[in-house]
Amino acid sequence: MKVKKFKQNSKNKKVVTASSRQSLGINFTDKSINMVLLSARSLNQFYLEKYVIVPLPKNIIDNGSIEDHNEFVAHLQQAKDRLQSNCKNIIVSIPQKLTNIQVISHDPDLEYTEEEQVMMELSQYESLDEASYDYQNIMTNAEGIEQVMLVSAKREDVNLIMDVFADADITPTQMDVDLIAIMNAAIGFINAEQPQLADQCVAVFNIDLNGTQAIIMRNSVMLYKQEMSIGYEHLIQSIRRNYQLTDDEAWDVLFRNSKPEDYDKTVIEPFKQQFTQEIQRVLQFYFTSASQENDIEEIMVFGFEDNHANDFAREVKQQTNISTQFLNPVLIAQNDNRIDDGKLHQQCGLLTVAFGLAVQGL
């Protein structure tokens, strides 16, 4: 959503364009503030200039909601100082749980316009002054019916996020939903690395802190979405229980190369089994409502960076009978030589949303 112009009717379907300017994506979770600074020197070729991950203490963010304004501002300022960038093209995320995403059909032959239909859909709010919203025509089917994606949120929720950025002396040019940023990351990866999937139906699973976002998409259009309850927090609690660690110590174990000897058996194997079951459950829900023309051709899992990712992918493929790959979209970008590749590979799973936001800005 545009943060200054709350209504936008953009015909831009492609999120990856040729540009030489910079774009800074910023998102936050209960555990960290994540910033990714990108530039694009040519079409679908990204350059990762810098990134920053600043850990957040407990009780500053709770399940995506800002609980301590002043502390969050202080940590945003710390992240900004560490990034050391003058980029003014800044896109920040808003959690999906604070928004409503829907695809509505509009028949141009009817008397009312696309905008008028959007206004009718927004009637759920007592007043349009209470809503921030954005919409765009994402496709037109063979019968000439337009499919319009509408994203809306309470103005109060948007303003709370904008206030902390303003107090941290950060001025966003756009705000977008984390779920759409994940789509942007997937589209960026497909266009750059696997263009044969561009018109295929793809299932994307992004492992996040408190859960996993599941998106099924085709031709850059979201067909289905669902939230899975399993995420990094599941792994952190398993590490904490098995090795008698604090939450912070378990977080450190999760994102470092050296692991306990029995880590795969006690932590990863149970996670793999449960995660694979959750994927199967999502696919079952989708297939009950999907048409045959939208059979899933590929499964992509973001956020799992582990030596056994390929084995995990084979297990998912075996259980679903769908080609599967585990990857992290930010790794398609060429890196500045000052970036530690080893550290980036450890942390890349945390950067998907920020990367997708930055891709949108290019």
Side-chain angles (χ1 to χ4, degrees), residues 180-317:
I180 296 177
I182 294 166
M183 286 184 62
N184 289 342
I187 295 166
F189 173 84
I190 289 171
N191 287 350
E193 299 291 323
Q194 299 181 5
Q196 71 276 10
L197 295 176
D199 60 351
Q200 301 296 314
C201 187
V202 177
V204 176
F205 296 87
N206 180 64
I207 303 173
D208 211 339
L209 180 64
N210 294 313
T212 294
Q213 298 97 343
I215 305 167
I216 297 176
M217 53 189 280
R218 185 185 190 123
N219 288 324
S220 308
V221 176
M222 184 189 301
L223 304 175
Y224 182 82
K225 61 181 175 67
Q226 187 174 324
E227 183 80 13
M228 293 162 50
S229 60
I230 185 170
Y232 287 131
E233 189 63 36
H234 183 95
L235 284 168
I236 292 167
Q237 294 308 315
S238 178
I239 295 169
R240 185 182 64 80
R241 288 193 306 270
N242 281 288
Y243 304 110
Q244 303 300 306
L245 301 175
T246 66
D247 281 354
D248 289 342
E249 289 170 338
W251 176 263
D252 290 339
V253 169
L254 182 62
F255 293 104
R256 74 184 187 204
N257 282 332
S258 59
K259 301 284 198 301
E261 289 185 3
D262 61 347
Y263 181 80
D264 290 345
K265 180 179 179 180
T266 59
V267 176
I268 294 300
E269 285 302 323
F271 177 81
K272 286 167 60 176
Q273 293 175 11
Q274 185 173 349
F275 192 83
T276 301
Q277 291 172 358
E278 290 295 321
I279 287 180
Q280 290 175 291
R281 188 172 292 113
V282 168
L283 298 182
Q284 287 171 359
F285 279 121
Y286 169 72
F287 286 131
T288 59
S289 59
S291 63
Q292 290 299 314
E293 65 183 31
N294 286 323
D295 283 348
I296 296 171
E297 301 291 338
E298 190 81 18
I299 293 174
M300 294 181 172
V301 181
F302 299 162
F304 186 85
E305 184 65 21
D306 186 86
N307 293 333
H308 304 293
N310 290 334
D311 293 336
F312 199 168
R314 282 192 290 270
E315 184 171 329
V316 173
K317 179 182 178 181

Side-chain angles (χ1 to χ4, degrees), residues 332-344:
I332 68 173
Q334 296 180 1
N335 298 340
D336 186 280
N337 56 18
R338 291 169 293 183
I339 292 177
D340 184 329
D341 280 340
K343 192 172 184 179
L344 174 61

